[in-house]
Amino acid sequence: LRLLAPPLFAVDLPIPDFGRSAGESGAAVVAVSGGGVSLADSGFSPDPRAVIALVWAAGALMVIGFAIAQSVQLRQILAASGPASPEIASRVAVLSRRLGLRRAPPTVQVLDLVPPMLWAFLGSVRLILPSDLLARLDPKQTDTLLAHELAHLSRRDHWVRHLELAALAVFWWNPIAWWATKRVRRAQELCCDQRVAELLPENRRAYADCLVETARFLSGRGLPLGSPARAMADMTQMKGRIRMIMSNPHSRRLSLTSKIAASVILVAAVTITPMLTAQPEERDYSGEPITLSIKDADLNDVLATFAKISGYEILVEPGITGTVTMNVEQVPWDGALVSIVQNQGLEWERSGNQIIIRRAGSEKTVPAKPVKASPPAPPTAEVFNSNVHKYVEGGEIEPPEALDKLPPKYPPEMRKAGISGRVVAELVIDQNGVVRDVAIQESPAEELSAAATEAFEQWTFEPATMDGKPVAVRYIVTVEFKLK
């Protein structure tokens, strides 16, 4: 007992005196009767401090053993993993630089059903990405996922994990230790959400979609209680995270309400089940029942379908895009529409014979336009390119007119390094005003090219015309990155 108990406990062991008679106090008395053996009361009772020490040691060993078992399991998964694709590795390198990391962590893709995570062991850090999840995400969503995990690395959250383990091993018996660990991990997720919103403000909607898609991927996986990825899959705070990302990306402080809510969340059940099941809330919906089964459908195509079903004119704020996955049966169309709008992090209002859909927190002065289904994709790139005209000022082609120009985000590392200049690009704008391709022709830095390209791809135009008919054109645009 002295070897097992921590130093803070003094353990006194009773030692029987074999020189005493059988009837004296402290000696064991063995009585034989009818072939049975019984131990009479010897006056021995275990020291409560020794019992407490044993229980404490057993609990500490269980916490440490659980952590070791998780580490061994991850090492087995990594042994069967492969390096990330060149495209993913390139994006990890770019985002690592933008986050101020000295070097990008080694990145691996695994086929096992594991959550995306940073794994640190003996000073070595790896970024683990499940291939099945990456297959569900588009490039913008993938960037936000990578930025989130790299934000953990830039904050040194993996070192905090080691401190958490040490604290839980010592204070496993104290519920406050487990409560504090949950609070710390949720605060880390919120801080990383904030970092992603600052780093990729133009991808806030894609980030919200990424969180929901990741939650769907992780649902039902049975993550262990100690898994660092449980915070990423925690449904009880997902709704608040999405609201923060969509409505106030520049806020650096948690409100008092959020802090109070964090403690209530400890005993709350899942609160955003409707977001994951796509089943609308029970309200007084009066629309005709519909049955709908779609997967990764274009948001504007879906809204155009609802406009035909409902007879309403659906107006959408420019720049709103996304994909929709839904499976409902005999649900009022207006209830299904509300579910789609809420899952996309948008707001809506009905006015007369119009339904207006906007970004959450958007000014109502921003004009909304009738939703249009996406144009069919060209049969092949060669056929499309053969019909693209070169715009020449003063020629017979009327130039395209920009409708929605998202300003490019100045990369923080470029601003810090004092790098500025002009980026010139040739856009291929099709006959529907959609940017099909971006070719950078002049740029002072690769990071500025990437920021400009990301913005150009989201621009929309009134198409160029020739003889009164819309045509696809190659059109030169320029943006200036200026230091204030």
Side-chain angles (χ1 to χ4, degrees):
L1 288 176
R2 289 183 183 277
L3 294 175
L4 292 176
L8 57 94
F9 292 105
V11 180
D12 296 322
L13 296 179
I15 303 176
D17 185 353
F18 293 101
R20 300 180 185 179
S21 63
E24 293 181 20
S25 174
V29 179
V30 179
V32 181
S33 174
V37 181
S38 64
L39 182 65
D41 185 8
S42 65
F44 170 78
S45 61
D47 191 325
R49 291 173 298 179
V51 175
I52 292 174
L54 284 174
V55 173
W56 172 84
L61 290 175
M62 286 182 63
V63 171
I64 296 173
F66 184 77
I68 293 175
Q70 279 193 313
S71 180
V72 170
Q73 184 180 17
L74 276 175
R75 286 181 65 85
Q76 292 173 347
I77 292 174
L78 287 176
S81 66
S85 65
E87 180 182 359
I88 294 295
S90 174
R91 295 307 302 156
V92 170
V94 171
L95 291 169
S96 295
R97 289 197 300 271
R98 295 181 65 179
L99 284 164
L101 296 173
R102 293 182 179 179
R103 60 179 181 271
T107 306
V108 297
Q109 291 182 219
V110 298
L111 297 177
D112 295 70
L113 297 177
V114 298
M117 69 174 77
L118 282 173
W119 184 68
F121 182 75
L122 298 179
S124 175
V125 180
R126 292 187 187 182
L127 177 56
I128 303 176
L129 302 173
S131 298
D132 289 348
L133 176 59
L134 293 179
R136 300 185 182 198
L137 305 179
D138 62 30
K140 291 181 181 179
Q141 293 171 345
T142 300
D143 273 0
T144 60
L145 174 67
L146 298 176
H148 179 96
E149 297 303 328
L150 292 172
H152 280 298
L153 180 59
S154 69
R155 287 169 36 83
R156 306 295 189 267
D157 285 343
H158 53 292
W159 290 109
V160 178
R161 293 282 184 262
H162 299 323
L163 294 176
E164 289 177 1
L165 177 60
L168 290 177
V170 176
F171 299 106
W172 62 265
W173 48 270
N174 192 335
I176 295 179
W178 297 94
W179 173 82
T181 298
K182 274 193 172 183
R183 287 293 302 272
V184 167
R185 292 187 179 181
R186 290 178 178 178
Q188 288 173 342
E189 296 302 316
L190 291 174
C191 289
C192 290
D193 289 344
Q194 181 65 46
R195 190 71 182 94
V196 174
E198 292 173 351
L199 186 69
L200 303 171
E202 68 281 3
N203 289 354
R204 294 195 305 273
R205 182 176 61 255
Y207 186 34
D209 292 338
C210 173
L211 289 179
V212 174
E213 190 59 46
T214 303
R216 287 197 184 104
F217 175 76
L218 297 176
S219 62
R221 302 288 186 236
L223 297 176
L225 290 174
S227 171
R230 282 186 69 86
M232 186 72 174
D234 191 349
M235 299 297 96
T236 58
Q237 65 167 339
M238 184 71 72
K239 190 172 183 179
R241 291 175 64 186
I242 292 176
R243 185 182 295 112
M244 182 275 289
I245 292 167
M246 298 300 299
S247 63
N248 191 15
H250 301 294
S251 173
R252 292 178 177 269
R253 299 179 62 185
L254 292 176
S255 66
L256 177 61
T257 303
S258 297
K259 293 177 181 178
I260 296 174
S263 59
V264 176
I265 285 170
L266 295 174
V267 292
V270 174
T271 58
I272 63 165
T273 301
M275 295 184 63
L276 299 182
T277 60
Q279 294 293 340
E281 302 175 19
E282 290 295 333
R283 294 185 181 177
D284 295 331
Y285 297 118
S286 57
E288 290 293 326
I290 62 171
T291 297
L292 191 63
S293 181
I294 53 178
K295 181 179 181 181
D296 297 331
D298 182 81
L299 174 62
N300 286 285
D301 290 347
V302 175
L303 294 178
T305 301
F306 273 89
K308 295 178 181 179
I309 294 173
S310 64
Y312 281 81
E313 182 182 23
I314 297 181
L315 306 180
V316 180
E317 183 179 325
I320 289 180
T321 59
T323 59
V324 178
T325 297
M326 171 173 276
N327 188 6
V328 295
E329 185 174 348
Q330 291 301 299
V331 172
W333 67 261
D334 44 354
L337 178 60
V338 168
S339 179
I340 291 174
V341 170
Q342 291 178 345
N343 287 354
Q344 297 289 328
L346 305 174
E347 295 178 346
W348 77 296
E349 61 176 328
R350 189 180 304 190
S351 178
N353 196 43
Q354 294 180 334
I355 294 176
I356 304 172
I357 298 175
R358 302 181 186 278
R359 295 182 179 90
S362 175
E363 296 290 338
K364 293 188 176 182
T365 55
V366 178
K369 298 185 177 181
V371 66
K372 295 180 180 179
S374 302
T380 63
E382 292 74 17
V383 173
F384 176 76
N385 290 332
S386 66
N387 294 327
V388 177
H389 302 269
K390 179 75 174 180
Y391 170 74
V392 179
E393 188 173 357
E396 59 181 343
I397 298 178
E398 292 293 327
E401 180 181 350
L403 299 177
D404 186 15
K405 296 174 63 175
L406 178 72
K409 176 68 175 178
Y410 210 131
E413 67 274 16
M414 295 289 100
R415 187 188 299 275
K416 185 177 181 180
I419 298 176
S420 62
R422 180 178 66 171
V423 176
V424 180
E426 182 183 67
L427 309 184
V428 175
I429 305 170
D430 69 11
Q431 62 272 20
N432 296 289
V434 177
V435 176
R436 294 285 189 173
D437 187 40
V438 179
I440 301 297
Q441 297 188 339
E442 177 184 334
S443 175
E446 180 183 347
E447 287 79 0
L448 296 183
S449 299
T453 299
E454 199 165 33
F456 292 150
E457 289 175 343
Q458 299 184 60
W459 286 15
T460 57
F461 294 82
E462 282 289 346
T465 57
M466 184 170 62
D467 298 330
K469 296 181 180 180
V471 293
V473 296
R474 299 184 184 277
Y475 188 64
I476 301 296
V477 295
T478 302
V479 294
E480 290 279 351
F481 289 87
K482 296 181 179 180
L483 294 171
K484 296 182 181 179

